[in-house]
Amino acid sequence: MQFRAFEKGIEVNGQTVYAIMDGFSNYKSIAAKYLLEVGIGTDKRGDIEIIADAWYSQEAWLKAFENIAKRIGDTILYQIGLTIPKNAIFPPWITDIHSAVQSIDIAYHLNHRKNGRVLFDPDTREMLDGIGHYGYEKVEDRNQIVSTCENPYPCDFDRGIITTMAKKFQPHAVITHDNTKPCRKKGEESCTYVITW
């Protein structure tokens, strides 16, 4: 279900949190309001300070998403998702649409931590649990990938992330939500997206 953390105490790095600011484009003061009201960032005389290498509560960040969805709508969540790849840390080995979509789960874990420990170690490739996953399944004999996302983030936000990563290597890729599968907007645990090019 979207907006509900899987575990207490998970944190998100400030660099990633800043995506909400970018998603609001020219209306950063509105984004700042949503972050400040959940205790993320510091009010600096009408501006917000988010420290890139600081860590912020995932529960608070999810609450900001929920408030934005209720008051503004899902379209802005998609816009925020589109900006994640330029704000979050991604692995350097991305070379095509397949590695791009696969990297989302690794990046997701690189930008979250639990008990002070980042959830993906690039040296050992150890991935810790606690936040769910972004799936990758190549469809044989077709230019198609299926990504089942089981995490607490909003459906439209995830569609934005997948769209940016897929279009980076296949500009004409089409990303659709598989409406025959569960959806977090309906209280389910996951959403499934189909990437075709």
Side-chain angles (χ1 to χ4, degrees):
M1 176 166 36
Q2 55 186 13
F3 312 125
R4 301 292 171 257
F6 288 1
E7 291 186 19
K8 297 223 177 265
I10 302 292
E11 295 175 305
V12 184
N13 70 28
Q15 184 174 335
T16 303
V17 167
Y18 193 80
I20 284 185
M21 300 296 289
D22 270 357
F24 273 82
S25 187
N26 294 330
Y27 302 97
K28 291 188 183 349
S29 62
I30 296 171
K33 177 185 133 214
Y34 285 105
L35 291 171
L36 289 169
E37 76 181 14
V38 296
I40 293 177
T42 306
D43 191 349
K44 296 288 186 179
R45 296 186 196 125
D47 200 8
I48 188 172
E49 179 183 43
I50 297 172
I51 301 167
D53 60 355
W55 293 88
Y56 299 91
S57 163
Q58 182 193 42
E59 289 178 282
W61 202 42
L62 288 167
K63 185 64 179 169
F65 278 116
E66 185 176 25
N67 292 341
I68 290 165
K70 284 179 183 173
R71 298 175 196 161
I72 297 176
D74 293 333
T75 302
I76 192 68
L77 301 179
Y78 176 73
Q79 289 300 125
I80 295 166
L82 290 173
T83 70
I84 282 289
K86 84 173 194 181
N87 285 291
I89 300 164
F90 271 78
W93 44 259
I94 302 168
T95 58
D96 60 14
I97 191 169
H98 294 284
S99 58
V101 175
Q102 287 173 315
S103 75
I104 296 170
D105 195 46
I106 292 170
Y108 178 46
H109 286 77
L110 274 170
N111 292 281
H112 288 75
R113 74 179 187 178
K114 176 168 68 173
N115 300 324
R117 186 172 175 200
V118 175
L119 297 177
F120 182 79
D121 184 329
D123 296 327
T124 65
R125 295 198 174 239
E126 179 187 11
M127 184 178 286
L128 301 176
D129 290 325
I131 58 172
H133 292 279
Y134 286 81
Y136 166 85
E137 179 186 339
K138 179 181 177 184
V139 178
E140 291 303 320
D141 301 321
R142 297 180 74 180
N143 288 331
Q144 194 171 76
I145 297 168
V146 175
S147 179
T148 300
C149 301
E150 187 176 351
N151 64 63
Y153 288 97
C155 172
D156 294 291
F157 171 76
D158 281 352
R159 187 171 53 88
I161 296 170
I162 293 167
T163 298
T164 295
M165 293 307 291
K167 287 182 176 276
K168 188 178 219 176
F169 294 96
Q170 293 293 334
H172 300 292
V174 175
I175 294 78
T176 56
H177 184 282
D178 186 342
N179 293 325
T180 68
K181 301 284 169 78
C183 180
R184 286 168 288 180
K185 287 182 185 180
K186 297 176 182 174
E188 303 289 341
E189 298 293 324
S190 65
C191 289
T192 300
Y193 308 89
V194 180
I195 304 118
T196 307
W197 67 98

